[in-house]
Structures are given as C-alpha cells and as structure tokens.
Amino acid sequence: MPVGRREQIVDCRAVMGLGQGGGLAQRGTFAEGLKNDVVVVAMSPGRRHITKPVCEITYGIRESGIQTSVLVLNAGSGLPADAPNSLGSTFGLKPEEVEQVNRHKLCVIHFGNVKSHVVYKARLFLRHVNIPTIVVCQTPIDMEDFAKIGIKTADVIPVEPKTKGTIVEIVTGVVRGESSPQSKIDEIIEKIKKHLK
C-alpha cells in the first residue's frame, strides 16, 4: 500500500544483478519505465565503472515524478577504437542499445573523471543516438571541449558536426562510485524539466 509516494512501474532487470543480493545492475540491463520520457545511461559496472551515482540520480528523477528508464551499457568500459591512445577494452554500442535509447525524449548519460575519455565516448554515443542528451560527469568540462572534436552542442556548433545527437546540458562534479549530493540531483532534475517541456 503506497503511503505518500508516487508509484512508477519499471520493467526491471534484463539479467541477474551483481554483488551480494544482486543489488548492482549487470551490464546490458535495460530497466524500462512506463513511458519513454527519460533514459539514464550508465557505463558497464566494473572496477573503474561503478554505477552507484546512476541509481541515486535515477531514484531522484523518478521521485520528482518523471518517468525514467535505465540502461547499463554492455560495452561501456574503455575508449572508442578511433580515440587517441585507445588500449585495452573498447567502448561501443550495440544496435539494440541505440534503439532502446532513441525511443525516449531525452537522455542523461553518466561519464567519469578523464576529460579525453568523456569527449570521445560522447562522440561515439551521439553518432548513433539522436535525442537531446545531458552529460553528467566528474571532470570539469564545457560545451567547447565537445565541439572541438565535432560533437553538436546547444551552445557551440562545430564547423563539421560528426554527431546526430546534441548535448543540451552538462552537469559536472558528480563523483563516480560515491553518493551524489542532493544539490547535484536537483540540478539534473531542473535541467531535465527544462528540456522535457
């Protein structure tokens, strides 16, 4: 029986979770909201990619009454093959992940703390994803940094755009693997509401 809460129906967990009690979403998980308003995209869980702030951000967005889906990328670790100094695992998107994201009105994607990784991952992501996207990351970064490598942004249009999608907002200072302050969650919600109108 709900008491003082708004309910949201979420078709949760494509696969079994990780960790004690299965509390961490496994790579490839797509938890779809009842309506396709916002999708929050997380990198693959692993030693360097912990999904903790993503679940808190998602919970905060849902609590504000916005229907929200979550996608944990299957290959969210590493760098795209065309990024400089790309070694080790390769970041990429599966066609079904692109389709899952593109059926929403707005995307919120969470990145980490290395600026060069953030911009090249965002470029590959937005080559395929064509909905407005809000970037959430730890590293200080601005629209100019994205536009320099051909990513379309709301404030700076590159000379030769190399993406279908556009970055409409950036929220920095969200630390990977740590609890996100309420002020950052509020900032994300405020920017989502601005673009869902």
Side-chain angles (χ1 to χ4, degrees):
M1 180 174 74
V3 179
R5 294 183 178 182
R6 293 182 190 146
E7 292 177 305
Q8 287 198 24
I9 297 172
V10 179
D11 180 14
C12 193
R13 298 290 167 88
V15 293
M16 185 180 290
L18 292 172
Q20 190 173 16
L24 288 174
Q26 175 68 283
R27 64 182 63 225
T29 292
F30 180 52
E32 187 170 18
L34 189 60
K35 294 180 184 175
N36 293 328
D37 287 340
V38 175
V39 58
V40 179
V41 178
M43 300 299 102
S44 309
R47 192 168 52 86
R48 292 192 61 222
H49 292 101
I50 301 165
T51 55
K52 182 174 184 177
V54 174
C55 53
E56 291 172 344
I57 292 165
T58 304
Y59 184 82
I61 298 169
R62 286 181 180 150
E63 199 173 47
S64 73
I66 299 168
Q67 292 285 333
T68 309
S69 304
V70 181
L71 173 65
V72 183
L73 293 179
N74 196 49
S77 302
L79 281 170
D82 63 346
N85 304 318
S86 179
L87 299 170
S89 59
T90 303
F91 174 83
L93 291 171
K94 296 169 74 174
E96 56 264 35
E97 291 173 330
V98 173
E99 190 273 327
Q100 287 166 338
V101 173
N102 277 337
R103 62 179 180 234
H104 291 77
K105 296 176 186 171
L106 185 68
C107 175
V108 176
I109 187 163
H110 177 257
F111 292 117
N113 191 35
V114 181
K115 188 183 287 187
S116 61
H117 293 192
V118 171
V119 293
Y120 283 101
K121 283 183 168 186
R123 185 173 73 179
L124 177 63
F125 184 79
L126 292 168
R127 277 181 182 154
H128 303 283
V129 168
N130 56 20
I131 60 173
T133 297
I134 297 172
V135 169
V136 177
C137 59
Q138 181 178 348
T139 187
I141 199 165
D142 59 27
M143 297 288 192
E144 191 74 42
D145 294 317
F146 291 105
K148 281 178 188 170
I149 62 165
I151 301 171
K152 290 193 287 187
T153 71
D155 297 340
V156 183
I157 302 296
V159 177
E160 294 181 21
K162 296 178 180 174
T163 59
K164 295 178 187 174
T166 302
I167 295 173
V168 294
E169 299 283 355
I170 300 170
V171 178
T172 62
V174 178
V175 180
R176 188 169 51 200
E178 293 189 12
S179 290
S180 184
Q182 187 61 46
S183 61
K184 288 295 173 185
I185 294 174
D186 292 343
E187 183 181 348
I188 293 166
I189 293 168
E190 181 184 327
K191 290 182 175 179
I192 288 172
K193 287 182 176 176
K194 175 181 168 186
H195 292 280
L196 270 185
K197 291 180 181 174

